[in-house]
Amino acid sequence: MHLIVKNVRLVTAPGAPPVDIAVADGRIGAIGPNLTGDAETYDAGGRLACGGLIETHIHLDKSRIIDRCPLPEGRRVNPVTTVAPLKPAMTAEDIYARAEKTLKECLVNGATRMRTQVEIDPAMGLRGFGAINALAAAYKWAIDIEPCVFPQDGLTNYPGTEELLVEALKAGAPVLGAAPRYDSDPTAQVDRIFALAREYDVPLDLHLDVGDSTEHMDVRRVLELTEQYKLGGRVVVGHMAKLSLMPPADSAVMARRLADAGIAVTVLPATDLYLMGRDRDHDVRRGVADVNHLHANGVTCSLSSNNILNPATPYGDCSLIRIANLHANILQVVGATKLRELFLMLSEHSARLLNLTDYGLQVGNPADIVIIDATTPEQAVAEIRPPLAVWKRGRRTVTRHSPELHRPA
Ligand SMILES: [Zn+2]
C-alpha cells in the first residue's frame, strides 16, 4: 500500500458516512472506514470523491483560435467556414501547443479521461491526428485520451477526405465521428461513416442535429442503421440540440427510441447555447437538449465542453462542473436529485457512454481519484466547487488550494 485517501464521501453514496480509499500498485486496494497501513495519507476532510471527471467530447485540435477569427457580421455564424481557411497554416507544432494548453486546464479541473474529436480532411491532413496522438502519449501520466477522427468540412463533397480517414483508422484511430450537417448530402455521409465503422470495427460518435427546425433530423437515419447493423451500445450522438425544439411528449418518444436502440447522447450546452436560435433577433431560443429528460427516458447521457475559445464556443475554462451548472441554469433545473444526475453525467454516466470498463471508485480499478471541495454532487454543481486534488493511477497529478482570506491581526 502506498497511499490512503482518508475521509471521503463517495460520489455514488454521498449520504453515507465518509470512508477511506487505500491504493497499492496504482490500483484501489480497499475502500472502507478507518483503513491503516504504512502509507502516505491525504485527509479529504469529508469531501466528495469521484473517479475523475470525463470529457467525452472536446476539440483540443481547434481550441484557442478565437483570436485568429474575424468577428461575425450579423446574427448568423458558421464556425466551420470560419475555421476552414485557417487550417493550412495549422502546423503540427501549433496544434500541439494549443491542445496542450487546453489539456492542462482540463487536468486542473479534474479530468482523468477524455475522448477528443480530431478533424481530418485534405487541408488538415493527418497533422491534427499526429499531434493529438503525441500529446496523449506525453500526458499518459495524467489522463487517458481517446481520439475520435471525423470529417468536419464534409465527406461526400470533399474528395480525399475519406482516404485520409481510412489512413487514420488503419493507423489505429479507435473511434470514428461525423458531421453530416456540413455535408452537401448529410444522409450519404451518415451511410458512409456507418460503412467505415463496420469495416474497421470502431464505435461511432457523431455530431448531430443542430439547427432551427426539426423537419429533417439525421438521427432518424442513425437510428435505422444502428438497429439494422445491431450497433447498440457503440453509437454516441453529440449535440442533439433539435430535441429542445420538440414538445416534451415528442422528445420523450425520440428518447425512448434512442434508449431502445442503445444510442447514447452527449449534450454540449456552451456550444448549443451559442449557436442555436440564430434565426431570431429577439425571443431567442436556448436550444439545449434536456439531459435530465433524456435520462428519465432511459438514455445514457454525458455533458461536455465541446470547444474552448473558438468560433463555435468563444468562452470557457475547461471546467466540466461549470458546464453542468450552465446546463442547470439553461434548463431551469431544480432539486438535488436532478443536480446529482448532472454530476454523474460528468463522471459515472460518461464512463458508461464511453464503454469504460475500469472507471470508478471500486476495488481493483485504477486509482483515478478526484477530491472536490463539496460534500455532495449537487453542491458541487450548484456552487461550481473546484477539484482540490487529483491522482491518476495512484500518483498525485494535481493540487489546488482553496482561497484564503488574510484578516488583519
Ligand atoms: Zn464537437
Side-chain angles (χ1 to χ4, degrees):
M1 196 184 305
H2 82 264
L3 168 71
I4 301 176
V5 181
K6 298 192 76 65
N7 209 4
V8 302
R9 290 178 206 276
L10 301 175
V11 69
T12 46
V19 293
D20 302 342
I21 303 172
V23 175
D25 298 326
R27 290 186 179 270
I28 297 172
I31 300 175
N34 306 314
L35 299 181
T36 54
D38 182 20
E40 177 196 336
T41 61
Y42 174 94
D43 189 345
R47 290 184 179 85
L48 184 69
C50 72
L53 302 181
I54 304 176
E55 281 281 7
T56 62
H57 187 131
I58 184 167
H59 298 251
L60 293 177
D61 63 352
K62 61 177 170 189
S63 65
R64 296 174 193 278
I65 55 170
I66 191 68
D67 293 346
R68 304 176 191 185
C69 301
L71 290 178
E73 289 169 23
R75 292 277 308 148
R76 287 286 184 182
V77 291
N78 186 330
V80 169
T81 53
T82 307
V83 174
L86 307 175
K87 285 187 180 184
M90 290 184 186
T91 63
E93 293 73 26
D94 168 52
I95 296 165
Y96 188 101
R98 288 183 290 99
E100 183 178 33
K101 236 177 168 174
T102 298
L103 179 63
K104 285 179 175 173
E105 292 298 317
C106 294
L107 295 178
V108 298
N109 281 292
T112 58
R113 316 242 186 164
M114 173 183 287
R115 175 177 284 176
T116 183
Q117 274 60 24
V118 179
E119 294 189 19
I120 291 194
D121 57 53
M124 186 63 111
L126 295 172
R127 296 192 302 281
F129 184 54
I132 295 302
N133 281 335
L135 186 70
Y139 280 83
K140 186 75 185 162
W141 55 272
I143 189 164
D144 299 311
I145 300 178
E146 175 181 68
C148 168
V149 297
F150 83 107
Q152 176 71 81
D153 296 4
L155 179 67
T156 68
N157 54 302
Y158 198 170
T161 301
E162 182 167 333
E163 288 78 357
L164 286 163
L165 282 173
V166 165
E167 218 177 309
L169 290 166
K170 284 183 174 166
V175 189
L176 180 60
R181 184 188 186 199
Y182 298 102
D183 201 300
S184 53
D185 188 343
T187 305
Q189 177 175 129
V190 170
D191 289 1
R192 208 48 224 133
I193 289 293
F194 267 79
L196 288 170
R198 294 180 73 214
E199 190 176 341
Y200 292 92
D201 191 23
V202 287
L204 284 165
D205 196 330
L206 320 170
H207 294 84
L208 233 54
D209 289 330
V210 176
D212 299 330
S213 124
T214 56
E215 215 163 285
H216 172 88
M217 288 181 74
D218 290 315
V219 76
R220 298 189 191 283
R221 184 66 180 153
V222 169
L223 272 161
E224 280 171 17
L225 295 176
T226 302
E227 284 166 350
Q228 185 181 335
Y229 298 133
K230 299 188 170 35
L231 292 174
R234 303 192 79 198
V235 178
V236 178
V237 293
H239 292 292
M240 292 307 298
K242 288 182 182 179
L243 289 175
S244 71
L245 309 180
M246 295 176 162
D250 295 352
S251 59
V253 170
M254 176 65 82
R256 285 194 291 273
R257 279 205 67 195
L258 293 170
D260 289 346
I263 297 174
V265 175
T266 295
V267 171
L268 306 161
T271 308
D272 292 338
L273 190 57
Y274 185 70
L275 293 182
M276 289 284 287
R278 293 286 181 159
D279 56 327
R280 300 192 182 175
D281 65 2
H282 68 286
D283 194 15
V284 176
R285 69 176 77 87
R286 292 166 296 190
V288 180
D290 182 343
V291 284
N292 294 110
H293 177 67
L294 290 167
H295 172 77
N297 286 285
V299 183
T300 299
C301 294
S302 71
L303 289 166
S304 208
S305 297
N306 193 32
N307 289 296
I308 304 291
L309 304 175
N310 80 15
T313 322
Y315 318 115
D317 64 355
C318 305
S319 163
L320 279 169
I321 294 174
R322 185 188 308 287
I323 292 290
N325 176 282
L326 176 65
H327 190 87
N329 276 296
I330 302 164
L331 272 300
Q332 304 171 341
V333 172
V334 287
T337 305
K338 286 186 173 181
L339 288 177
R340 186 173 295 188
E341 281 171 16
L342 296 183
F343 189 92
L344 295 177
M345 291 175 197
L346 316 173
S347 53
E348 306 288 323
H349 296 188
S350 308
R352 206 185 307 152
L353 176 139
L354 294 183
N355 289 317
L356 303 180
T357 54
D358 61 354
Y359 172 86
L361 298 177
Q362 288 169 35
V363 172
N365 278 347
D368 298 355
I369 304 168
V370 173
I371 304 298
I372 291 163
D373 193 12
T375 53
T376 62
E378 51 271 29
Q379 185 199 1
V381 172
E383 302 177 24
I384 319 182
R385 302 304 303 165
L388 295 182
V390 181
W391 292 263
K392 182 68 181 171
R393 288 182 282 272
R395 188 187 161 277
R396 184 78 160 261
T397 54
V398 176
T399 303
R400 278 169 63 147
H401 298 287
S402 294
E404 282 176 53
L405 296 178
H406 298 282
R407 285 184 193 281

